[in-house]
Amino acid sequence: MSAHDLTRDVARRPLSSLLSGLESGRWQAEDLLSACYGNADRHDDRGNQVYTTRFESTARAEAEAADGLRKAGVPMAPLAGLPINLKALFDVTGQVTHAGSKGWMAPATADAVIVQRLRRAGAVLTGHTNMTEFAYSGLGLNPHYGTPDNPLAPGRIPGGSSSGAAVAVALGLSVAGIGSDTGGSVRIPAAFNGLVGFKPTQRRIPRGGTLPLSDSLDSIGPIARTVDCCDRLDAVLAGEDRALTTALPLQGRRFAVPTNHMMADLSPLVALRFDASLRRLRDAGAVVEEVPVPVLDTLPELLAGGGFTAAESYYVHRQWLADHGDDYDPRVSSRIARGAAITAADYLTLLERRRVRAAEADRWLASYDGLLAPTVALEPPTFAELADDDAYTRLNLLVLRNPTVANLLDLCAISLPNHEPGGLPTGLMLVGRNGHDHRLLALARSLEPLMGAAGSAAPGDH
């Protein structure tokens, strides 16, 4: 395969195909890395960065090591030779974990736990990718590093907060990305970039060495081209030595579609694509019930005054705000500052309410194989739509509304692309019970072929 063909292929091939090519000798890990960095040289706008830092010297060494071990016939780790990007809130030894800020922190002295696991699995870590400052927005805008354009819908936002992680995958600047998800920050950019994004049950993935936004809500998950890709990455992140999931038959499976909360204010396009997805699911033999979900009506009580995110981010940032407040994005610092008004009694009440609501949600979901909803209520907004602060606030809340449900209720969830090829990107979200991640991934494998070929072509092929 020519270097040109491989450069195009890394933007479209799933991990299984890339690994097969490595095993067969069709290409080398160094070839994959060169293709990704070549794409970065061509597509990464330094004024609106996808990569804020490239780990070129260590990445080249990791790729060379993978090729040497494979040539010597050594049994290979599950991700050996695959170029994977990291959201800029995961510690990497010697790098500043700036989390989308101006970066006044000292370089990290140790790798985050998930970075250690990726290294042991043979991943080639390509660099830190751009994000909303301190992960505090679902839109992906960043005034310090710029905001990468949406590869599938130029002139529109990439979604956040893991903006660069998703754009890097969509453009072939890496073959997968690792992000964090506090209220949809993996699933939103996945949906907006025609990719799959998986938010696991929080407790499964250790967060040591990860700069927190909200300790109660933060989860770590992958963004990649397919469910199989996310399954492979999830097993490594969770430290699970397990077989990959296999698709479950859809005949007779029961799925709930909420008639309340998550279905309000959908754009006409999102509603159209979601309805088409449900028809395909019913045609495949699944039972889809449109029903009210009582616990969803109680969620505003967990969000009042900024909720967990404001309270817990203020705990992390209160000294930094005092020392560096003028360096923050005002749209971020103003939201963090709300946490100062949340008392200890308020916070303990939040914890108890969430415990009760999460238990209610788990009991309710026990009657179904999963809950289905649009990942985001609208297609990616244009940059122009977000110039006004009021519009920014309104659209941010709407973008976050549906995916936040899984974080607040401590559930697992996955976003699948369900748009028409060449159309504006949209996503379908499947939500599962706490701890039922493997089952959710197995069901997502069955849903994925029904969603059409939306994610099969690379940007520029439409």
Side-chain angles (χ1 to χ4, degrees):
M1 176 176 287
S2 71
H4 175 72
D5 288 341
L6 184 57
T7 296
R8 290 171 59 86
D9 264 22
V10 295
R12 71 178 81 213
R13 283 183 180 268
L15 301 189
S16 59
S17 174
L18 294 169
L19 286 167
S20 294
L22 288 167
E23 290 297 330
S24 68
R26 192 179 183 194
W27 48 68
Q28 305 296 311
E30 291 183 83
D31 298 329
L32 290 182
L33 180 62
S34 293
C36 288
Y37 278 156
N39 283 333
D41 291 338
R42 279 181 287 276
H43 297 298
D44 198 348
D45 178 354
R46 303 316 295 171
N48 295 285
Q49 299 175 8
V50 179
Y51 280 110
T52 58
T53 307
R54 291 197 216 176
F55 308 149
E56 293 212 36
S57 61
T58 55
R60 297 284 182 193
E62 288 165 346
E64 182 180 357
D67 287 335
L69 291 169
R70 190 171 270 113
K71 184 177 180 180
V74 175
M76 300 305 291
L79 303 179
L82 296 180
I84 295 172
N85 81 73
L86 300 169
K87 188 176 183 175
L89 48 60
F90 299 116
D91 284 350
V92 175
T93 303
Q95 302 292 338
V96 174
T97 311
H98 60 71
S101 73
K102 287 188 174 180
W104 52 80
M105 306 82 166
T109 58
D111 289 341
V113 176
I114 62 109
V115 173
Q116 296 171 18
R117 290 180 174 182
L118 289 165
R119 289 197 197 279
R120 286 199 295 269
V124 175
L125 302 181
T126 55
H128 271 150
T129 42
N130 203 350
M131 56 182 287
T132 306
E133 187 179 45
F134 296 118
Y136 211 154
S137 166
L139 301 176
L141 275 60
N142 188 297
H144 309 305
Y145 300 93
T147 305
D149 201 6
N150 189 309
L152 299 189
R156 294 177 182 268
I157 65 169
S161 61
S162 309
S163 53
V167 173
V169 178
L171 288 173
L173 282 55
S174 70
V175 301
I178 308 300
S180 66
D181 191 308
T182 305
S185 287
V186 161
R187 289 161 290 153
I188 294 165
F192 281 179
N193 287 273
L195 301 167
V196 179
F198 176 54
K199 176 234 172 290
T201 299
Q202 186 198 44
R203 69 177 184 273
R204 291 184 55 246
I205 315 295
R207 288 170 290 133
T210 303
L211 189 67
L213 174 62
S214 169
D215 189 60
S216 294
L217 306 181
D218 293 344
S219 299
I220 297 171
I223 299 173
R225 300 210 66 80
T226 69
V227 175
D228 179 80
C229 297
C230 288
D231 194 5
R232 292 170 186 270
L233 292 161
D234 173 74
V236 169
L237 296 174
E240 296 173 350
D241 183 13
R242 63 174 174 86
L244 296 176
T245 63
T246 56
L248 292 173
L250 291 174
Q251 182 71 36
R253 301 286 176 190
R254 294 180 67 220
F255 297 96
V257 174
T259 56
N260 55 325
H261 188 73
M262 301 175 81
M263 300 303 292
D265 301 318
L266 300 184
S267 76
L269 177 63
V270 166
L272 179 69
R273 297 308 311 143
F274 185 64
D275 287 345
S277 297
L278 296 186
R279 284 197 300 274
R280 291 173 181 171
L281 191 52
R282 288 180 170 118
D283 289 345
V287 177
V288 179
E289 301 178 11
E290 299 183 26
V291 293
V293 184
V295 71
L296 297 182
D297 291 330
T298 70
L299 295 187
E301 70 184 17
L302 299 180
L303 296 166
F308 287 101
T309 311
E312 294 174 345
S313 66
Y314 183 72
Y315 169 75
V316 172
H317 287 268
R318 64 193 188 281
Q319 189 59 53
W320 284 347
L321 281 172
D323 296 341
H324 304 283
D326 291 342
D327 292 330
Y328 277 66
D329 178 354
R331 286 171 164 174
V332 170
S333 61
S334 61
R335 299 174 74 202
I336 294 173
R338 291 181 300 171
I342 298 176
T343 68
D346 295 334
Y347 180 69
L348 292 173
T349 299
L350 272 177
L351 289 172
E352 176 59 18
R353 285 177 174 171
R354 184 185 186 226
R355 185 190 65 78
V356 171
R357 299 312 180 198
E360 288 178 7
D362 193 66
R363 286 194 298 270
W364 191 90
L365 266 175
S367 299
Y368 294 93
D369 291 284
L371 180 146
L372 294 168
T375 307
V376 185
L378 71 165
E379 55 273 22
T382 65
F383 284 98
E385 289 177 89
L386 301 173
D388 174 76
D389 283 348
D390 289 340
Y392 177 97
T393 298
R394 177 181 61 82
L395 288 171
N396 185 51
L397 290 173
L398 184 56
V399 165
L400 288 165
R401 185 197 65 198
N402 284 9
T404 298
V405 167
N407 302 83
L408 289 172
L409 298 176
D410 201 11
L411 306 170
C412 55
I414 193 166
S415 177
L416 307 174
N418 74 335
H419 57 278
E420 295 287 353
L424 290 175
T426 59
L428 175 138
M429 183 169 60
L430 173 65
V431 181
R433 296 175 65 190
N434 181 291
H436 289 226
D437 301 51
H438 300 164
R439 181 178 178 82
L440 182 85
L441 287 163
L443 287 168
R445 285 179 181 270
S446 301
L447 266 63
E448 189 173 32
L450 304 181
M451 298 300 108
S456 63
D461 294 338
H462 299 298

